């Protein structure tokens, strides 16, 4: 394999290293973003739990106020019972008092239920807030990891990009353009090795897609340093230089 294909191979190796570093940074960036979205969603859940608790509390308060009013009313009716003059009045007030007593009994149960619901609402809120504290800690941890990765890879990435660009500059514009298109298509794997599939026969396949490569193409790569593409996948073909 001649200098053109060697230069492309070098470009390929640097390209893959650049992509690897970018992916490691990208993975951590996405993890931080995903955690932020999770926290936003949790914030909305907490807001709705808080809202529901507020409603429950207001409901309980209003029933409690009602209960106090009705209880006070019962007191007044009891007093009235002592001051009525006739049996008819007595019976009428007693009937009111009994109705009121039944209502107060129902209200007491209702207030109890509402207070239980309020307590449950408070517990729900506290649980969600605890989750939020943990998730915030996780976001900070992920953010730190991202910054650490950026700091440790920054120099390396700058160096690799410079090396890659220098390697690319040694290649003619047409081949470079082809390399870039294939790199784009195959996530940096712009080149594919030609593999001999039979020890004694001239049978070859492209390692990128496993489709066969004819002997002329193989020879063009090996003996003439030509930039040849796999006719199936389009990758730029090379052979191991020690063969
Ligand atoms: Zn192929």
């Amino acid at each position: 394999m001649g200098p053109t294909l060697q230069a492309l191979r070098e470009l390929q190796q640097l390209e893959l290293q650049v992509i690897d570093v970018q992916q490691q940074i990208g993975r951590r960036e996405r993890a931080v973003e995903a955690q932020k979205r999770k926290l936003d969603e949790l914030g909305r859940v907490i807001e709705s739990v808080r809202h529901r608790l507020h409603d429950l509390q207001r409901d309980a308060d209003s029933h409690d106020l009602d209960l106090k009013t009705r209880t006070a009313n019962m007191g007044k009716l009891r007093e009235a019972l002592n001051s009525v003059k006739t049996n008819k009045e007595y019976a009428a007030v007693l009937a009111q008092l009994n109705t009121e007593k039944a209502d107060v009994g129902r209200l007491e149960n209702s207030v109890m239920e509402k207070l239980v619901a309020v307590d449950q609402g408070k517990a729900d809120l506290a649980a969600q807030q605890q989750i939020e504290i943990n998730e915030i800690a996780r976001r900070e941890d992920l953010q730190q990891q991202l910054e650490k990765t950026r700091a440790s890879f920054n120099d390396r990435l700058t160096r690799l990009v410079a090396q890659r660009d220098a390697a690319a500059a040694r290649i003619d514009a047409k081949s470079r353009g082809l390399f870039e298109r294939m790199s784009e298509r195959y996530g940096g794997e712009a080149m594919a090795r030609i593999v001999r599939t039979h020890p004694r026969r001239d049978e070859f396949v492209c390692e990128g897609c496993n489709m066969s490569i004819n002997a002329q193409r193989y020879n063009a790569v090996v003996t003439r340093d030509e930039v040849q593409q796999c006719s199936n996948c389009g990758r730029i073909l090379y052979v191991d230089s020690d063969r």
Side-chain angles (χ1 to χ4, degrees), residues 192 206-211 213 230-235 237:
C206 161
E207 203 175 43
C209 67
N210 281 316
M211 296 301 280
I213 300 289
C230 167
S231 54
N232 180 56
C233 68
R235 288 184 180 88
L237 298 166

Side-chain angles (χ1 to χ4, degrees), residues 1-13 166-179 191 220-228 236-239 241:
M1 220 165 54
T4 305
L5 287 170
Q6 288 291 1
L8 278 163
R9 282 285 289 143
E10 195 185 325
L11 177 60
Q12 164 79 94
Q13 275 151 12
R170 289 200 298 275
I171 298 160
D172 66 281
K174 187 165 165 257
S175 303
R176 200 166 63 222
L178 174 64
F179 179 91
M191 300 184 78
V221 171
V222 175
T223 61
R224 297 198 297 275
D225 193 28
E226 277 179 22
V227 175
Q228 292 280 339
I236 300 166
L237 298 166
Y238 70 94
V239 291
S241 42

Side-chain angles (χ1 to χ4, degrees), residues 74 76-99 101:
M74 265 175 68
K76 282 180 201 147
L77 287 169
R78 280 204 183 91
E79 281 170 26
L81 211 53
N82 295 327
S83 58
V84 290
K85 306 273 187 298
T86 66
N87 281 345
K88 200 180 165 193
E89 275 177 335
Y90 186 88
V93 173
L94 187 61
Q96 271 187 57
L97 182 58
N98 284 337
T99 307
K101 209 188 267 178

Side-chain angles (χ1 to χ4, degrees), residues 6 11 21-22 26 28 35 46 69 87 102 111 122 131 135 149 157 159 184-186 198 205 208 213 224 231:
Q6 288 291 1
L11 177 60
V21 170
Q22 285 169 340
R28 283 172 171 75
Q35 187 65 12
I46 287 175
T69 311
N87 281 345
V111 167
K122 281 178 183 165
I131 292 173
E135 295 298 346
T149 304
L157 189 58
R159 209 165 48 240
E184 183 73 25
R185 187 187 298 177
Y186 295 111
H198 193 285
V205 296
I213 300 289
R224 297 198 297 275
S231 54

